[in-house]
Amino acid sequence: MKRLILGLLTILSISTAHAAEGTTEAVPPSITLGVIPGGNPENLREQGLALAKELQAKLNIPVNIYISKNYAGLVEAMKTKKVDFAFFSSSTYVFAEQQAQAKVLLKKVWNHPYYYSVIVTPKNSGIKKLKDLKGKRIAFVDDKSSSGYLYPQVALRKIGLQDKDFKEVAFTGNHQASIQFLEAKKVDAAAVFSDDEKGLEGAWEKFGTDKKAKYRILWMSAPIPNDPFCVRQEFYDAYPKITHTLMFSLIDILEQTRNKNMYSEILGSRDLIPATSKQYDPVREMVKALNIELKP
């Protein structure tokens, strides 16, 4: 599986021992944060380098960004200790919790603490309800994406549709690519996110290049808890103070930046707020309903 580790060109020369000045807690030689390319991969890469630099300056510890090709790869990276912290999707967190001992710390907030899964189609497609999708082409993000696959699967199975009932199923890797498939008429419908329940802040609005294009929402999910920021439990047990310092550093960075879109691909665009494992119970129920095996 292709992996990309983004390290800073210049490592701070300050001794890492200074990072824990006044404490007896050990200091890790470096920290790696894992992210998934859910939107624009190039923006993610640029933002990742900038964020790593800011965190490194605050912590006095070398910080790397690990960009995984897909959801399963990021779970595996935490399991094999290649990453210490990671931004997961809500469903990927359920996998990571069981397989990689991920501990939730924070969750992203874009415009709201929750988001939605939607299935959209161009208004001129002739498709007016979910059942009309039978025999059509559809784009999903990844088979472990909450809004880009799993939640839509619950809705589709309720009306008797499975992947085999479509003419073609495309897994695009990220929401931007799914919208690009839709605009290029490679598919007839796409399962993507919406930040609001009216569909005014959907992926097609954020990533669409044809601003005159009109879309019909065929289905929308119940609210889904936003993407969590997690730590590997073993790392947390060894470095609890460093973990909390990094948490609050991320919150401060997002609060203090004048340009709220500066790190939007990674941190969201409004806030990072504390999260608990219990908040993701509805996601666990969805995973159980689909009888999904929790394996990469």
Side-chain angles (χ1 to χ4, degrees):
M1 183 165 293
K2 184 178 180 181
R3 299 184 296 269
L4 178 61
I5 298 287
L6 302 177
L8 295 177
L9 295 178
T10 303
I11 299 297
L12 295 181
S13 60
I14 301 173
S15 170
T16 56
H18 180 70
E21 184 177 358
T23 74
T24 57
E25 180 176 302
V27 178
S30 65
I31 293 172
T32 300
L33 274 66
V35 295
I36 299 170
N40 185 313
E42 184 57 33
N43 288 347
L44 188 67
R45 182 181 184 279
E46 293 175 1
Q47 290 182 18
L49 285 171
L51 180 62
K53 186 175 182 179
E54 280 208 60
L55 284 172
Q56 185 166 292
K58 287 178 176 290
L59 299 173
N60 294 332
I61 299 172
V63 176
N64 297 309
I65 298 292
Y66 178 106
I67 301 181
S68 178
K69 184 177 180 180
N70 54 37
Y71 294 86
L74 189 54
V75 174
E76 184 66 16
M78 178 169 278
K79 181 179 179 180
T80 55
K81 303 180 183 181
K82 292 175 181 175
V83 301
D84 307 304
F85 298 84
F87 287 97
F88 290 111
S89 70
S90 56
S91 62
T92 310
Y93 160 61
V94 174
F95 287 73
E97 182 182 47
Q98 293 202 10
Q99 297 200 9
Q101 290 71 57
K103 175 183 175 64
V104 65
L105 301 172
L106 304 167
K107 67 178 178 180
K108 301 178 186 179
V109 177
W110 281 271
N111 295 318
H112 314 281
Y114 295 87
Y115 69 110
Y116 301 82
S117 171
V118 296
I119 297 177
V120 294
T121 185
K123 275 197 170 181
N124 61 4
S125 69
I127 300 170
K128 296 184 178 180
K129 55 185 183 296
L130 283 183
K131 286 188 176 181
D132 295 338
L133 290 173
K134 186 174 182 178
K136 301 295 193 296
R137 303 165 301 166
I138 189 168
F140 296 115
V141 171
D142 182 286
D143 65 2
K144 291 183 178 63
S145 168
S146 298
S147 61
Y149 185 71
L150 295 176
Y151 274 84
Q153 283 295 302
V154 175
L156 291 167
R157 290 185 188 186
K158 281 183 178 179
I159 63 169
L161 288 181
Q162 299 186 34
D163 287 357
K164 63 182 178 62
D165 296 312
F166 298 105
K167 179 179 180 181
E168 181 181 336
V169 172
F171 288 98
T172 67
N174 60 68
H175 293 270
Q176 183 181 38
S178 289
I179 296 303
Q180 289 173 345
F181 268 54
L182 205 55
E183 287 190 333
K185 299 181 179 180
K186 293 180 179 180
V187 293
D188 304 298
V192 289
F193 73 84
S194 176
D195 285 336
D196 71 310
E197 61 184 344
K198 294 183 179 179
L200 300 176
E201 301 163 14
W204 55 98
E205 292 292 337
K206 181 175 182 180
F207 300 125
T209 57
D210 183 358
K211 299 305 179 183
K212 293 183 179 180
K214 303 294 183 182
Y215 294 96
R216 174 179 291 114
I217 296 175
L218 300 173
W219 166 85
M220 178 175 284
S221 72
I224 305 171
N226 275 340
D227 297 351
F229 176 65
C230 302
V231 63
R232 183 165 47 82
Q233 182 69 56
E234 186 177 351
F235 184 97
Y236 179 83
D237 292 341
Y239 311 111
K241 292 181 180 178
I242 292 295
T243 298
H244 288 109
T245 299
L246 188 145
M247 280 175 60
F248 291 114
S249 294
L250 284 173
I251 292 172
D252 288 344
I253 287 171
L254 188 56
E255 285 183 348
Q256 294 169 8
T257 181
R258 292 182 180 180
N259 179 5
K260 291 300 182 182
N261 290 319
M262 184 172 180
Y263 297 120
S264 60
E265 293 283 350
I266 301 175
L267 304 181
S269 59
R270 199 181 80 181
D271 297 302
L272 284 168
I273 62 177
T276 66
S277 176
K278 186 171 178 57
Q279 291 173 346
Y280 293 85
D281 280 351
V283 184
R284 295 184 185 93
E285 291 172 6
M286 176 272 296
V287 169
K288 184 178 180 180
L290 291 175
N291 194 28
I292 301 170
E293 290 186 47
L294 297 181
K295 64 180 183 180

